[in-house]
């Protein structure tokens, strides 16, 4: 009987503490949202992951961002998902695109664009100490940009050729620049065109050009090649890992929590950095 009473008292105390904490969290969230002052910061976001040689690490990042979005109550949808290649089976992903749809998703995530490096440190195997890169690109959804129909090439692929599974997929190419987008999910053409439009819009914004025809193709990859964060795993001591933001200096040893979507400290620092 006493044990039940203690449990009830503890639960009441926790509920009281939570009630006191909620207004503080809401005020913090409000203040952070006020920093989202860009014209598309309140929009949803496309998050694109590309991995040349690190399909397992790319899969981890995909899970991390999907968990972050779901934890915030955003709608997270897959636009495309290309499996990596291992010996005798598919491992990880070589590319993926998520639509993270919710107020402020782009403003919060846009500073995540860049190279994410993973490093498995080991005193026994020097090859593990080399950082492995995965490129993340974040784009605003629902941008206003008209693309001339004659500049688009639509390619339907009826079966798997480069790891997109057995279902058909579509690729839409902007012929003048060679920029393309892919979808192997329902409403393929609509989704691929949405991503392509956002890609071209983002390039125009970065290059400061008013027209599609003004895009300079030799400058397309500059921003995406910038390392922004390093994730260190210590294979000889699991408690010695850390995540370090190379721009702000923010770091944490809670690697597992970060990979489970606990990105708030990095997201906040990124918002402040962009403003």
């Amino acid at each position: 009987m006493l044990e039940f009473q203690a449990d009830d008292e503890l639960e009441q105390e926790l509920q009281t503490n939570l009630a006191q904490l909620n207004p503080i969290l809401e005020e913090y969230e409000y203040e952070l949202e006020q920093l989202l002052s860009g014209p598309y910061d309140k929009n949803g976001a496309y998050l694109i992951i590309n991995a040349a040689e690190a399909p397992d690490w790319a899969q981890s990042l995909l899970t991390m961002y999907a968990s972050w979005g779901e934890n915030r109550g955003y709608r997270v949808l897959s636009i495309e998902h290309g499996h990596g290649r291992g010996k005798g089976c598919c491992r990880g992903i070589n590319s993926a695109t998520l639509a993270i749809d919710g107020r402020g998703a782009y403003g919060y995530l846009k500073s995540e664009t860049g190279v994410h490096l993973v490093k498995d440190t080991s005193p026994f195997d020097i090859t593990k100490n080399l950082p492995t890169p995965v490129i993340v690109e974040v784009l605003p959804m629902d941008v206003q940009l008209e693309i001339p129909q004659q500049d688009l090439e639509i390619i339907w692929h009826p079966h798997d050729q480069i790891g997109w599974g057995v279902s058909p997929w579509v690729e839409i190419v902007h012929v003048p620049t060679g920029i393309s987008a892919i979808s192997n999910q329902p409403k393929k053409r609509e989704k691929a065109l949405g991503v392509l439009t956002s890609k071209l819009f983002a390039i125009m914004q970065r290059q400061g050009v008013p027209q599609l025809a003004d895009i300079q193709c030799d400058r397309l990859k500059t921003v995406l090649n910038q390392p922004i964060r390093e994730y260190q795993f210590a294979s000889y001591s699991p408690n010695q890992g850390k995540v370090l933001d190379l721009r702000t200096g923010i770091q944490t040893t809670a690697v597992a929590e970060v990979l489970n979507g606990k990105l708030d400290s990095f997201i906040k620092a990124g918002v402040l950095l962009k403003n």
Side-chain angles (χ1 to χ4, degrees):
M1 183 70 176
L2 290 175
E3 182 178 349
F4 290 149
Q5 183 177 357
D7 287 344
D8 290 341
E9 290 176 355
L10 178 59
E11 182 178 355
Q12 172 126 17
E13 182 179 353
L14 289 174
Q15 292 293 339
T16 301
N17 290 339
L18 184 60
Q20 294 172 345
L21 183 60
N22 278 337
I24 298 174
L25 293 175
E26 290 173 2
E27 181 178 356
Y28 164 79
E29 187 71 21
Y30 174 79
E31 291 176 354
L32 188 60
E33 188 172 327
Q34 299 315 297
L35 295 175
L36 305 183
S37 56
Y40 291 92
D41 280 1
K42 301 295 176 67
N43 289 27
Y46 292 120
L47 189 139
I48 302 170
I49 295 174
N50 284 294
E53 299 177 356
D56 292 333
W57 173 228
Q59 179 69 62
S60 295
L61 287 178
L62 178 68
T63 301
M64 179 182 78
Y65 285 116
S67 297
W68 176 85
E70 290 167 354
N71 290 340
R72 288 191 61 87
Y74 290 152
R75 187 183 183 201
V76 180
L77 300 173
S78 174
I79 301 295
E80 63 97 354
H81 191 108
H83 293 289
R85 296 297 192 180
K87 293 183 179 180
C89 66
C90 292
R91 297 179 52 201
I93 57 170
N94 54 30
S95 71
T97 301
L98 292 178
I100 303 178
D101 194 3
R103 181 179 173 82
Y106 174 67
Y108 290 128
L109 287 172
K110 64 182 180 181
S111 64
E112 295 295 298
T113 291
V115 178
H116 293 245
L117 302 167
V118 63
K119 188 176 181 181
D120 185 4
T121 59
S122 170
F124 312 108
D125 185 354
I126 194 171
T127 62
K128 286 190 174 183
N129 296 329
L130 300 175
T132 304
V134 166
I135 295 175
V136 172
E137 182 178 11
V138 180
L139 308 168
M141 296 174 63
D142 304 319
V143 299
Q144 302 300 315
L145 179 64
E146 292 293 331
I147 306 175
Q149 191 65 33
Q150 64 269 22
D151 288 347
L152 296 175
E153 180 181 5
I154 301 174
I155 307 169
W156 288 93
H157 300 267
H159 53 77
D160 179 23
Q161 292 180 344
I162 50 176
W164 271 275
V166 296
S167 63
W169 50 281
V170 66
E171 178 182 11
I172 302 182
V173 182
H174 180 247
V175 177
T177 61
I179 300 296
S180 65
I182 290 169
S183 178
N184 59 353
Q185 301 299 317
K187 298 184 179 179
K188 300 175 178 61
R189 179 169 172 170
E190 176 185 334
K191 291 179 177 177
L193 184 58
V195 175
L196 177 61
T197 302
S198 291
K199 281 186 175 184
L200 294 170
F201 177 83
I203 292 169
M204 291 170 59
Q205 293 290 300
R206 288 197 293 263
Q207 295 189 1
V209 297
Q211 303 292 333
L212 275 173
D214 298 328
I215 289 178
Q216 300 176 39
C217 296
D218 58 343
R219 294 174 51 203
L220 293 180
K221 295 294 182 181
T222 305
V223 175
L224 300 184
N225 288 336
Q226 177 186 356
I228 67 163
R229 193 170 302 142
E230 189 173 83
Y231 306 72
Q232 296 182 12
F233 298 88
S235 56
Y236 61 95
S237 179
N239 296 324
Q240 295 300 312
K242 71 175 181 179
V243 181
L244 170 65
D245 193 286
L246 302 174
R247 304 155 301 172
T248 64
I250 297 292
Q251 62 180 297
T252 178
T253 57
V255 180
E257 290 188 9
V258 170
L259 295 180
N260 283 328
K262 305 295 185 181
L263 293 169
D264 285 352
S265 60
F266 295 102
I267 294 293
K268 179 182 178 182
V271 171
L272 294 172
L273 182 68
K274 290 293 184 180
N275 289 276

